[in-house]
Every structure is written in structure tokens, then in C-alpha cells.
Amino acid sequence: MKEELEGLLVDIENRSFDSDDAVEEFRIEYLGRKGKMKDLMAQFREVAPEHKRELGPLINKVKTAVEEKVAAEKASFNKNSKATSSGIDASRPAGGFPHGTHHPLQVVRREILGIFSNMGFGVVEGPEIEDDWHVFSGLNFPPEHPARDMQDTFFVERDPDLLLRTHTSSVQVREMERREPPMRIIMPGRVFRNEAISARAHCMFHQIEGLYIDENVSFADLKQTLLHFAQRFFGPETKIRLRPSYFPFTEPSAEVDVYWGLETEVDKRITKGTGWLEILGCGMVDPNVLEASGIDSKKYSGFAFGMGIERITMLRYQIGDLRLFFENDKRFLDQFAGER
Ligand code: DAH
């Protein structure tokens, strides 16, 4: 039996294979249910005890030699991956799908919506092509207001009543017309203005609008809501300041700044050297606006705010040029692979 085993070792050593299938046949020849190893074990049981000590390790050696040969040959077939006649290499390991990345504006948008959702605001979207009523008239813009100028707004040539919305405040009007108070909603979307494209301005950008209407809503509610937002988004120590301002659709109106700091060139550029970042406009919804949408302004009051998300995103990720957001250069986008 010893010679037989030594012969097998030589045989195993010298075998060569021209395909994966041939390796598998070889494996079955030795290790299969009716294979050579099975016979050897049966013979071994009959061997006289004094020979077992010598033959046992030799049988094991045969088995190991087969296993190693099979593993090595299979690996080499995978590696050399011989294509079949159809040109398809079915043995090639799958490459995995390349993962896309979240756009930085999307990351920030989602985070802002999440903070307001937690405060009970529902998300609502509206159309990007709007009519004059929802963008201007319904928001108390007088007929001669400069925002209506072709210099500032893209109109649809075929129909002068249609235009690309210049702000998401238009969605407020739609919702106030559609629903009864109380309402607490947050409205993200793309807006368009006729601006020359540069590092700091674009003809398209993103806003998030908020609206809360109920009985007895006060300016203190507005301020506290915005402070809570700023501290959730920018950090618990964040300071905000409100500056009086003017919008046709709110009275009183304010602009809100957040203290960001002045550490980098991007900080300096975007905060215009002050460290304060203007993040949004806001105010108490003008009674004219409530009435224009059929809401009783004696019974209800509300606050509204609108923020741009590009500037916040530029500071958070230290992006110096607004145009990068819209070019979809993979080298730019790949840098946000870790962001959720
Ligand atoms: N719509 C304004 C803009 O685009 C932002 C804004 C200001 C929205 C005050 C509001 C608001 O809802 O109350 O500049």
C-alpha cells in the first residue's frame, strides 16, 4: 500500500488541467463520495496495526496534496480568467457598483428639513414655473415693483403671466389658498433670477421657505423657532441677531444673521469681512397676504421665513465658488462621498 500511496503523490504532483471543470473532475476523482480517498480509507482499516503508524500520515499527505492542488489550480483559473468563446468571462469576480455621492446642497437641505420636521413642520413643494399671482401679486408686491422687471426675472415668452419663480414664497400662497389654518410647513425648492453668473451669484439657486399660521402666533414664536434652528444646525452656542428689514409680504420684517467667525479666506469672503452670515429673511405675514389667500386675518396670524442654502453650504464645506455646485464635476462631487 505504501508504494501505491507514493505513486498517487507523484500522480497528483504531475497532473495539469486545461479548465476549471477538469480541476473539479480531479477533485471528485479523489475526494468524491466514491473517490480514491474513500477506497484508501477502506483499505487502511484492514491494514495490520503495526503498519498503521507509517501509512496513516501518508494517507493524510495524499489528501492534503489533492486539496492544495485543487485550491491552487482553481485560483489560477480565476486569475487568468479565460474568456469563453462568447467573449464573456463568467468566472470574473463581480466588480461592485460604483456608489454615487450626495450633492452637498442636498446634504444641507436634508439636514435643515430634518430640524424643522422635528418641530412639526410638514414638507411641501410647488411648481418652478409659476404665474404672477403666486410669485408677486398674492404676496402684496405692488404692480411697479422692480422684481417684476425683466432685468431681474425670467419670463416665459409665450405667456407674460408665466415666469420662473424668483423665490419659494410662491409655495406659501399656494398652500394658504389650498388649506385652512393651522398650518406649519417648510417648502424647499429651486429658484431663478436673471443674474450674471459669477463666483458669488448664479441664475439658479435653492431656498427653503417656512410658514406657520395659527391663532396667536407672535414674533417671539418666530424668533425662538429660528434660534432653535440655528443652534441645532450651527451648534448649541450659536448666536443670532435680527436686523429690521422690508419685504412686501411681511410686517414687521427682519433679516437674521448668524455669527460664523472669520478664520479662513472663505469665511472672510462670504461674511464680507464681518464674521456674521445673513441666513434668511423673515417676518409676520402681512394681513393683506392672509386676506388675499382667503384667510381671516382677524382670527389668524403667522410668521414666515425664507433662507438660501448655497451660502450656508459654502461656509460649512469651505467652498469658494458658487459655480461648482452646478457644474457636476465628479472631482468636486467625489469629495462629499462620506456625507449622508
Ligand atoms: N422671499 C424672500 C427672498 O427671496 C425671502 C423671504 C423673506 C421669505 C421674508 C419669507 C419672508 O418668507 O418672510 O429674498
Side-chain angles (χ1 to χ4, degrees):
M1 191 174 176
K2 186 175 171 203
E3 286 83 59
E4 189 189 347
L5 290 170
E6 279 165 352
L8 287 175
L9 281 172
V10 175
D11 171 55
I12 294 163
E13 174 80 42
N14 291 340
R15 285 287 186 101
S16 67
F17 307 96
D18 58 5
S19 73
D20 220 18
D21 289 345
V23 180
E24 183 60 13
E25 270 168 35
F26 166 74
R27 189 187 69 77
I28 292 166
E29 177 188 334
Y30 274 88
L31 305 176
R33 260 189 321 124
K34 296 180 187 151
K36 288 201 167 102
M37 285 311 300
K38 189 100 179 170
D39 291 343
L40 290 172
M41 292 310 290
Q43 283 183 45
F44 180 69
R45 259 175 253 123
E46 309 297 316
V47 165
E50 64 268 28
H51 289 133
K52 279 203 168 142
R53 217 194 265 192
E54 191 189 2
L55 292 176
L58 208 50
I59 290 187
N60 279 338
K61 211 167 155 189
V62 170
K63 184 161 181 240
T64 314
V66 174
E67 285 167 352
E68 283 174 0
K69 183 93 178 177
V70 168
E73 292 288 330
K74 285 206 167 165
S76 90
F77 277 112
N78 281 340
K79 196 155 77 249
N80 300 337
S81 58
K82 300 220 163 69
T84 59
S85 56
S86 68
I88 293 169
D89 175 9
S91 68
R92 186 169 175 261
F97 293 103
H99 287 284
T101 57
H102 292 287
H103 194 283
L105 291 174
Q106 183 65 13
V107 174
V108 168
R109 170 186 138 130
R110 195 171 330 157
E111 194 172 322
I112 294 172
L113 294 184
I115 293 170
F116 283 101
S117 296
N118 284 340
M119 285 192 264
F121 285 74
V123 178
V124 176
E125 286 181 292
E128 292 175 355
I129 301 174
E130 262 294 7
D131 52 28
D132 177 277
W133 172 258
H134 291 97
V135 178
F136 297 128
S137 301
L139 288 163
N140 206 30
F141 280 76
E144 72 283 4
H145 194 282
R148 287 200 157 96
D149 199 326
M150 301 246 282
Q151 266 9 108
D152 293 315
T153 301
F154 292 115
F155 288 89
V156 174
E157 233 166 26
R158 264 200 330 213
D159 181 349
D161 190 45
L162 292 183
L163 47 103
L164 299 185
R165 67 180 176 196
T166 59
H167 54 187
T168 43
S169 305
S170 55
V171 189
Q172 288 186 26
V173 179
R174 285 193 172 270
E175 285 302 298
M176 286 190 287
E177 287 170 341
R178 210 167 66 79
R179 302 169 39 172
E180 293 293 318
M183 57 180 99
R184 187 155 37 176
I185 50 177
I186 188 94
M187 297 153 275
R190 238 187 322 214
V191 301
F192 307 86
R193 287 185 199 174
N194 191 1
E195 301 254 7
I197 296 172
S198 71
R200 18 168 90 249
H202 210 285
C203 58
M204 165 173 93
F205 54 99
H206 296 78
Q207 287 188 334
I208 294 185
E209 191 84 13
L211 177 70
Y212 177 32
I213 300 178
D214 202 344
E215 291 176 36
N216 301 319
V217 176
S218 72
F219 200 87
D221 295 325
L222 168 61
K223 205 170 147 185
Q224 216 44 42
T225 302
L226 296 177
L227 178 63
H228 177 79
F229 161 71
Q231 295 191 334
R232 287 285 304 278
F233 187 84
F234 294 99
E237 305 300 325
T238 302
K239 289 188 178 53
I240 65 171
R241 70 179 183 194
L242 275 71
R243 285 178 289 106
S245 184
Y246 174 78
F247 301 101
F249 36 95
T250 44
E251 180 60 33
S253 306
E255 279 169 316
V256 174
D257 302 339
V258 161
Y259 192 74
W260 174 268
L262 271 178
E263 276 166 36
T264 69
E265 277 310 306
V266 175
D267 295 350
K268 279 181 207 148
R269 182 128 53 89
I270 295 185
T271 67
K272 300 199 181 104
T274 66
W276 287 94
L277 172 68
E278 185 205 313
I279 58 164
L280 55 83
C282 64
M284 301 307 292
V285 181
D286 192 302
N288 287 342
V289 171
L290 295 174
E291 296 289 342
S293 296
I295 291 175
D296 182 353
S297 65
K298 298 214 174 46
K299 184 164 181 209
Y300 293 109
S301 57
F303 65 69
F305 57 88
M307 70 179 94
I309 61 181
E310 270 78 359
R311 252 181 312 164
I312 298 175
T313 310
M314 288 169 89
L315 282 176
R316 160 168 301 183
Y317 295 114
Q318 295 291 301
I319 296 164
D321 190 326
L322 185 67
R323 288 168 291 197
L324 288 165
F325 288 133
F326 304 108
E327 285 164 357
N328 284 335
D329 185 327
K330 229 176 141 290
R331 291 166 300 179
F332 172 71
L333 297 174
D334 281 346
Q335 296 176 52
F336 303 94
E339 303 291 334
R340 291 280 120 211

